[in-house]
């Protein structure tokens, strides 16, 4: 069997293993295996192929993996997702809101709403600020 084909199979196995681990290490080894395959296609010897594998894998591990991991894993407080992104936005009351019941419209979405304080009441058409989301309920307050 040709050496380049063995490197290609190794790259596929590393990439498949990455699907299970999701740690971005085996994917870097897959890139190294592709480097070894490239050297094999150039007709160079097995020690040179192994050297290419080690150099490419190390380069990817040291340079690409930290950048990729930072983009995939690390977050800053400013990067809100899910319902947390609605906190601080304004909504329009579509059904009278008090501390027991109500509805607000936020863009195209309609949310069940409650006031943050017991004595607050907002009538239909009033603009309010979303201060907290808890499950399906948006807690609102004045602007």
């Amino acid at each position: 069997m040709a050496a380049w084909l063995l490197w290609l199979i190794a790259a596929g196995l590393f990439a498949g293993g990455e699907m299970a681990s999701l740690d971005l290490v085996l994917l870097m080894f897959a890139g190294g295996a592709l480097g070894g395959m490239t050297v094999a296609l150039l007709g160079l010897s097995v020690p040179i192929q192994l050297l290419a594998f080690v150099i490419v894998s190390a380069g990817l591990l040291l340079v690409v993996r930290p950048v990729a991991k930072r983009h995939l894993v690390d977050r800053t407080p400013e990067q809100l997702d899910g319902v947390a992104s609605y906190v601080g936005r304004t909504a329009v009351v579509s059904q009278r809101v008090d501390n027991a019941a109500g509805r607000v419209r936020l863009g195209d979405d309609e949310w069940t709403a409650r006031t943050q304080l017991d004595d607050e009441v907002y009538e239909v058409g009033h603009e309010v600020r979303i201060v907290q989301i808890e499950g399906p309920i948006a807690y609102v307050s004045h602007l």
Side-chain angles (χ1 to χ4, degrees):
M1 186 177 291
W4 69 268
L5 187 55
L6 292 173
W7 284 111
L8 184 61
I9 292 169
L13 291 173
F14 281 130
E18 179 62 38
M19 297 290 214
S21 73
L22 298 176
D23 197 33
L24 298 178
V25 173
L26 295 176
L27 191 61
M28 302 305 125
F29 289 156
L34 292 176
M37 181 189 79
T38 303
V39 171
L41 284 171
L42 294 174
L44 299 174
S45 67
V46 173
I48 305 285
Q49 294 170 28
L50 289 171
L51 184 63
F53 169 75
V54 169
I55 290 172
V56 172
S57 294
L60 290 172
L61 282 169
L62 294 173
V63 177
V64 175
R65 184 176 180 268
V67 174
K69 193 162 179 141
R70 183 171 47 249
H71 285 287
L72 292 174
V73 177
D74 293 348
R75 304 187 66 77
T76 65
E78 292 83 30
Q79 291 175 306
L80 298 174
D81 57 358
V83 295
S85 65
Y86 292 122
V87 174
R89 294 178 58 188
T90 59
V92 177
V93 175
S94 58
Q95 182 182 357
R96 185 177 185 267
V97 177
D98 57 26
N99 67 338
R103 306 228 7 121
V104 295
R105 179 164 290 286
L106 179 62
D108 292 332
D109 298 329
E110 184 133 346
W111 285 76
T112 300
R114 305 286 184 270
T115 58
Q116 189 176 29
L117 303 174
D118 290 342
D119 60 344
E120 290 179 319
V121 175
Y122 301 108
E123 299 298 330
V124 174
H126 193 89
E127 281 195 25
V128 293
R129 181 169 313 283
I130 297 176
V131 293
Q132 178 183 353
I133 302 270
E134 194 171 290
I137 300 172
Y139 289 90
V140 298
S141 187
H142 66 281
L143 288 177

